[in-house]
Amino acid sequence: MSGTTQLTHMSQTAQRKEARTVILSSYLGSTIEFYDFLLYATAAAVAFPTVFFAGADPWAGAVEAYATFAAGYLARPLGGVIFGHFGDRIGRKGMLIVSMTVMGLASAAIGLVPGANVIGSWGAVILVLLRVLQGIAVGGEWGGAALMALEHSDPKRRGFAASFVNAGAPTGAFLGTVMMGLVSALPRADFLAWGWRVPFLLSLALLVVGLFVRLRVSESPIFAAAIAAEVKEAQNTAVKRKVPLFEVLRRPKALVFVMLAGAAGFGLQVSLSTFAVTYAVSKGAPQQGVLYAFAGASVLSIGIVLLGGRISDRFGRRPVMIAGLVLFVAYLFPMFALLGSGNAWLVFLAFTLALMFHSTLYGPFAAFVSEQFGTTSRYTGAALGYQLATLIGGGFTPGIVGSLYKESGLSVGAVVGFLAALSLVSAVFILVTRESKDNDLTTVR
């Protein structure tokens, strides 16, 4: 083997090793971020209505708790813009370290907020402010993690590589739900007094682990090459470097399409972790059993997320995502029948099938969004598009479905109708968005 050939071989081997390290880092980082973010969803279903909205009707308290939950989704697009701008200007890696730090500290602080019996409504106010910080942090996290995995990977395996970032969501949901399930075993008074706070305080330990992993990865090679070329062009032509947000907004079609294409996925996802949990408990299933059922189903769905991303590398992002949506909508009425059975095992079956269908949709979504934008505005475009989808689909859905259920006399028909309509909108925009699996990521558009 010649020296040149050996160097090339070693270079390719090193690149593959680095790609695996980056994908692992993105998966672990996303897991930690979503543990913190989705832990709030579980707490909003089982603890916050009593701790921060004492005295309210049980379903009215749940709706109020879901409103504070929405604050995080309102902040996520802002996080996408802030972290996306600097991620496209100075690098992905540094922004990921900052986003993780903000999330960990905000989540731990939630575990220290006094309840309504101590400081009245100020507890809810502080909760909203910390939720906003969580939203800003996760708004910056997803885009950077997805792009690091995508831009380090083999072009023919981008969907699979990026799906590891989305696999962090069910993994984080599993960890958070298990932790909340464990403390739910406490006597009810102890759980409401201090037990629910423990999983939030553990965020500090997860933060240390996450930062250790994040500091060991290198910057995206595609980004580094693109930014060097852009800087050189600006120097030679005396033209200022472009502002990433302006580049995205100058051609807003991609942003609007991915935002609406992804809305239903987040609406369905968050309905499972909030309304479905509350609904199953209200129908007689034990709270701890419901939480463990959701946690177990989340673990099983991780493989389906990765499988969905892998299949999309062969058949395209759009067909796989449409299939997941259609299956989930067809399953909605049977799902609520299982959730309302009062039996923890049937509730587990309900969550397992629901998350299986959802994961088919969710697996290709990271690549689908990121591939729509050019390299030097990709962090901003992907993060903003993804976070606007979470805002529209996920931010208000728990409050809407909770209100629809309450106002309809505790009937799930209106809830199913709303989720089906949201899914139809997303299906249309998935179909009209261009297929992206063969896009050249090195092209600066």
Side-chain angles (χ1 to χ4, degrees):
M1 181 182 292
S2 69
T4 302
T5 303
Q6 185 176 6
L7 179 62
T8 301
H9 176 74
M10 290 175 63
S11 175
Q12 290 174 346
T13 301
Q15 288 174 4
R16 286 195 293 268
K17 182 178 180 181
E18 177 67 12
R20 288 194 293 268
T21 301
V22 169
I23 290 170
L24 175 62
S25 168
S26 293
Y27 169 66
L28 291 177
S30 179
T31 295
I32 293 168
E33 291 272 336
F34 279 97
Y35 165 86
D36 290 332
F37 195 75
L38 297 177
L39 180 64
Y40 191 104
T42 306
V46 300
F48 291 172
T50 303
V51 175
F52 295 104
F53 304 98
D57 168 82
W59 273 104
V63 171
E64 290 176 352
Y66 294 159
T68 68
F69 175 78
Y73 282 89
L74 285 168
R76 284 173 70 159
L78 176 60
V81 171
I82 295 171
F83 284 93
H85 174 82
F86 290 104
D88 282 326
R89 296 300 291 268
I90 63 177
R92 314 332 193 179
K93 178 180 175 179
M95 294 303 101
L96 289 173
I97 292 171
V98 174
S99 69
M100 180 173 285
T101 302
V102 172
M103 173 63 87
L105 294 177
S107 298
I110 287 174
L112 299 174
V113 178
N117 62 329
V118 178
I119 58 173
S121 60
W122 282 107
V125 172
I126 297 172
L127 202 64
V128 170
L129 294 176
L130 292 172
R131 183 61 175 169
V132 167
L133 287 178
Q134 277 194 324
I136 291 174
V138 82
E141 161 68 24
W142 181 90
L147 266 56
M148 286 287 279
L150 197 79
E151 294 176 348
H152 275 88
S153 66
D154 182 328
K156 294 182 180 180
R157 296 171 63 87
R158 293 196 309 242
F160 181 61
S163 69
F164 276 86
V165 178
N166 279 359
T171 309
F174 164 72
L175 293 175
T177 309
V178 164
M179 287 306 304
M180 196 63 74
L182 288 173
V183 295
S184 289
L186 292 167
R188 181 67 176 171
D190 290 338
F191 171 73
L192 294 175
W194 58 269
W196 69 268
R197 301 176 184 275
V198 173
F200 286 97
L201 296 175
L202 286 176
S203 297
L204 290 176
L206 294 177
L207 173 61
V208 173
V209 174
L211 290 178
F212 174 78
V213 175
R214 278 276 158 83
L215 289 168
R216 298 169 64 87
V217 301
S218 62
E219 185 56 83
S220 159
I222 290 178
F223 169 78
I227 209 68
E230 188 180 76
V231 170
K232 183 177 180 180
E233 180 184 1
Q235 290 173 341
N236 293 337
T237 61
V239 175
K240 292 183 178 180
R241 289 178 63 191
K242 299 172 182 177
V243 177
L245 179 61
F246 293 166
E247 283 298 292
V248 172
L249 296 180
R250 187 165 62 88
R251 287 177 289 187
K253 178 180 175 181
L255 180 67
V256 173
F257 278 25
V258 299
M259 171 182 71
L260 295 173
F266 294 106
L268 296 171
Q269 179 189 59
V270 79
S271 294
L272 293 176
S273 60
T274 56
F275 177 78
V277 170
T278 309
Y279 177 80
V281 173
S282 73
K283 291 297 183 178
Q287 177 175 293
Q288 188 178 28
V290 172
L291 292 176
Y292 283 152
F294 183 71
S298 295
V299 170
L300 296 178
S301 73
I302 294 169
I304 307 299
V305 172
L306 301 178
L307 180 63
R310 189 70 187 92
I311 293 174
S312 77
D313 283 327
R314 180 174 181 182
F315 297 104
R317 320 299 183 211
R318 297 187 304 172
V320 180
M321 293 169 66
I322 289 291
L325 264 181
V326 170
L327 289 169
F328 201 122
V329 171
Y331 172 64
L332 282 171
F333 274 118
M335 179 186 77
F336 280 113
L338 292 170
L339 289 172
S341 66
N343 182 294
W345 287 105
L346 292 179
V347 170
F348 171 68
L349 177 62
F351 281 134
T352 298
L353 293 175
L355 287 173
M356 182 182 299
F357 299 144
H358 179 268
S359 297
T360 305
L361 162 68
Y362 197 49
F365 190 62
F368 173 80
V369 173
S370 303
E371 290 165 344
Q372 305 296 328
F373 303 94
T375 302
T376 53
S377 61
R378 184 170 295 132
Y379 198 146
T380 302
L384 185 57
Y386 183 94
Q387 302 310 337
L388 286 173
T390 68
L391 171 60
I392 294 174
F396 302 106
T397 294
I400 291 173
V401 297
S403 297
L404 286 172
Y405 181 69
K406 184 175 183 294
E407 296 302 321
S408 64
L410 307 186
S411 169
V412 297
V415 174
V416 170
F418 172 79
L419 295 176
L422 185 61
S423 298
L424 177 61
V425 172
S426 285
V428 169
F429 279 92
I430 291 171
L431 289 172
V432 299
T433 302
R434 63 177 179 172
E435 181 55 61
S436 60
K437 80 178 181 71
D438 295 321
N439 286 0
D440 181 3
L441 294 188
T442 63
T443 302
V444 181
R445 299 187 297 276

